[in-house]
Amino acid sequence: MSVVTNTTTIGAIEAPSRRNTELGLLAFAVVIPVFAYLNVGLALDGKVPTGMLGYGLGLGLLAGVAHLVVRKFAPYADPLLLPLATLLNGLGLVLIWRLDQSPRLIRRAETLFGSYSPDAPKQLLYSAMGIALFAAVLMLLKDHRILQRYTYISMAVGLVLLILPMFFPAVNGAKIWISIGGFTIQPGEFAKIVIAVFFSGYLMVKRDALALASRRFMGLYLPRGRDLGPIIAIWGLSILILVFETDLGTSLLFFGLFVVMLYVATERTSWIVFGLLMSIGGAVGVASFETHVQSRVNAWLDPFACYKSDASGACQQIGDALLSFGSGGTLGTGLGQGNSDLIGFAANADFILTTVGEELGLAGTMAFLLLYALIVERGVRTALAARDPFGKLLAIGLSSAFAIQVFVVAGGVMGLIPLTGMTMPFVAYGGSSVLANWALIGILIRISDTARRPAPAPAPSPDAEMTQVVRP
């Protein structure tokens, strides 16, 4: 009798990379803005715009570079995040170019500044820089868990970014910009990413202590007194930002991000209730003595009552925005055939959603919001698939920051909440916003790649040996 021993090794199940799916979706994400560009040109001049070919090639080149970087450095990442961001960025470029063609805006700029400089070419440059930053994130950040080492460093950096605008002059009543060597930067856009890293690292360590409850009141589990310290400190900082920088948008984003992540980490509904009560109390308190916030609240309550008497212009902007949405109806007036440029230079920044509402109607507005919702949904799906608690919290934090920013901008423009002065991600004009949001997408793709990557094959064990007896 002889004994034959066979050793078998069970390898990991190979997961599909979905990169070809991403490439196909990217083709649609480039073609749709090109057709929108053509539509605007035909509506304005009745002919094919001369820059359409260059625009299509430029957007296609940027999308192709981003795809190659993802294929090389994050082959198992979510296939929808990059096409969704590319589509929004491309449509934003079309909307900005459409507003650049407005004779009213051109005459106004020439009257005020002596010359007019279109914003669409600059936005295309910012988009290229955003793609470069996106690629740098994927190439340099091999593992998102490395960021956990910099939990408290990110806190210090985030505080500096939030406080820095306080020492620079106000722009349109709010201190949200810093000027360095002729360049203007909005630090709050980058602060949301850095602060999300800090919250993720901090809550991963402290979530058990924060989840403890000392008593139950009216169906809510109340946290212990000493555990209220972090949320009170964050609440106080958000109020200071609101008071000294009169930046309602960053204050809401900063505090809302912390409350959402605190709820996800502890699963305590009481934190949400405390957060809402404290945010409402703080906003009402600041609005009682801060004139800039008061003007935003008055414009929100009844923009047409102070349409002509408001010196800040907030009432007129909100009133014009509501009129634009109303004139758009269900299907809109058509690209290039609206009058949202009456809002002024903010039409391509804070109020760019009004151009969507007027020229694409309710259907187009819902389509844009659906694209944003899909990015948030893919971010939440990434958080659910992440294998480590830090990755889960970071993915949900970045997705929440993105969702809160979309909500406060869309809500402010539509009259749901007071106007905040933030910009619509990827669509509105602004270099800081484009750069920060492409970096945010890069981090989400890195977390997604790690979550979807097949686990390595386990080492062989003695139990894996099979002994077969062969009889002569």
Side-chain angles (χ1 to χ4, degrees):
M1 181 178 65
S2 62
V3 179
V4 180
T5 303
N6 296 327
T7 302
T8 60
T9 302
I10 302 175
I13 299 176
E14 190 69 19
S17 67
R18 303 294 186 187
R19 296 282 65 81
N20 292 332
T21 301
E22 179 185 83
L23 183 60
L25 293 173
L26 274 176
F28 281 103
V30 172
V31 169
I32 291 173
V34 170
F35 273 103
Y37 194 100
L38 174 63
N39 196 335
V40 173
L42 293 175
L44 293 176
D45 302 322
K47 59 183 180 180
V48 177
T50 56
M52 188 181 73
L53 180 60
Y55 169 75
L57 291 176
L59 184 61
L61 178 62
L62 293 178
V65 169
H67 170 73
L68 291 176
V69 171
V70 174
R71 184 178 285 270
K72 172 67 175 177
F73 295 98
Y76 296 98
D78 189 293
L80 289 181
L81 285 171
L82 179 58
L84 288 170
T86 302
L87 178 57
L88 285 170
N89 201 162
L91 291 174
L93 286 166
V94 173
L95 294 173
I96 294 170
W97 178 77
R98 176 263 175 274
L99 292 169
D100 281 344
Q101 313 308 308
S102 168
R104 281 187 287 254
L105 287 181
I106 294 175
R107 287 195 300 268
R108 188 177 303 174
E110 290 175 345
T111 301
L112 294 176
F113 309 112
S115 62
Y116 177 72
S117 175
D119 292 325
K122 292 182 282 187
Q123 184 75 352
L124 183 59
L125 176 61
Y126 295 147
S127 300
M129 295 169 61
I131 294 293
L133 182 58
F134 168 84
V137 168
L138 291 181
M139 288 188 289
L140 299 177
L141 186 64
K142 303 297 184 181
D143 191 337
H144 65 272
R145 289 169 291 190
I146 297 175
L147 297 174
Q148 187 180 350
R149 304 175 187 174
Y150 307 101
T151 296
Y152 292 99
I153 294 178
S154 62
M155 177 192 69
V157 173
L159 291 178
V160 170
L161 291 175
L162 290 172
I163 295 174
L164 201 57
M166 191 183 305
F167 303 98
F168 288 83
V171 178
N172 296 326
K175 295 183 178 182
I176 58 177
W177 299 91
I178 62 174
S179 298
I180 301 176
F183 295 95
T184 56
I185 303 173
Q186 193 172 355
E189 291 287 347
F190 301 95
K192 66 184 179 186
I193 300 177
V194 181
I195 291 296
V197 173
F198 164 66
F199 286 162
S200 301
Y202 175 80
L203 292 176
M204 193 191 73
V205 177
K206 301 292 185 180
R207 60 180 177 178
D208 292 335
L210 293 170
L212 294 176
S214 59
R215 66 182 65 88
R216 186 172 180 175
F217 177 73
M218 297 181 63
L220 295 176
Y221 288 97
L222 302 180
R224 297 180 302 181
R226 63 175 178 269
D227 294 329
L228 282 173
I231 194 170
I232 291 177
I234 298 298
W235 175 77
L237 182 58
S238 66
I239 293 301
L240 290 177
I241 294 172
L242 185 57
V243 171
F244 292 102
E245 299 181 7
T246 60
D247 184 7
L248 182 59
T250 302
S251 178
L252 288 173
L253 174 62
F254 178 50
F255 187 70
L257 173 62
F258 180 70
V259 172
V260 170
M261 294 186 68
L262 191 59
Y263 169 72
V264 171
T266 63
E267 300 181 6
R268 294 293 185 188
T269 311
S270 55
W271 287 115
I272 296 291
V273 176
F274 282 129
L276 290 174
L277 292 176
M278 295 177 72
S279 61
I280 293 173
V284 171
V286 174
S288 63
F289 65 87
E290 176 57 52
T291 56
H292 179 71
V293 178
Q294 285 177 355
S295 64
R296 292 290 177 91
V297 173
N298 292 333
W300 167 59
L301 292 175
D302 192 353
F304 298 105
C306 57
Y307 189 86
K308 295 182 178 180
S309 60
D310 182 27
S312 67
C315 291
Q316 184 173 357
Q317 286 183 326
I318 293 294
D320 289 340
L322 295 179
L323 291 173
S324 295
F325 282 114
S327 63
T330 304
L331 299 178
T333 60
L335 281 173
Q337 302 181 58
N339 295 292
S340 60
D341 54 328
L342 289 171
I343 296 175
F345 298 117
N348 66 2
D350 302 359
F351 289 87
I352 197 166
L353 194 62
T354 60
T355 301
V356 177
E358 181 173 6
E359 301 189 354
L360 297 179
L362 177 63
T365 304
M366 293 303 298
F368 269 79
L369 295 180
L370 180 59
L371 293 176
Y372 285 117
L374 284 173
I375 291 180
V376 175
E377 186 271 337
R378 303 311 292 186
V380 174
R381 184 183 290 267
T382 297
L384 294 174
R387 300 166 186 168
D388 62 294
F390 176 77
K392 289 180 179 293
L393 285 172
L394 182 56
I396 202 68
L398 294 175
S399 303
S400 300
F402 192 87
I404 292 172
Q405 182 167 350
V406 172
F407 170 75
V408 298
V409 175
V413 172
M414 295 179 181
L416 181 63
I417 61 174
L419 188 65
T420 60
M422 300 187 74
T423 55
M424 210 67 175
F426 292 114
V427 176
Y429 173 73
S432 300
S433 178
V434 172
L435 289 171
N437 285 295
W438 271 115
L440 185 149
I441 294 295
I443 298 174
L444 281 178
I445 285 181
R446 169 54 65 211
I447 300 173
S448 174
D449 175 68
T450 304
R452 294 162 55 94
R453 186 180 295 273
S461 63
D463 296 336
E465 295 183 354
M466 298 184 298
T467 303
Q468 181 180 2
V469 179
V470 180
R471 297 184 182 277

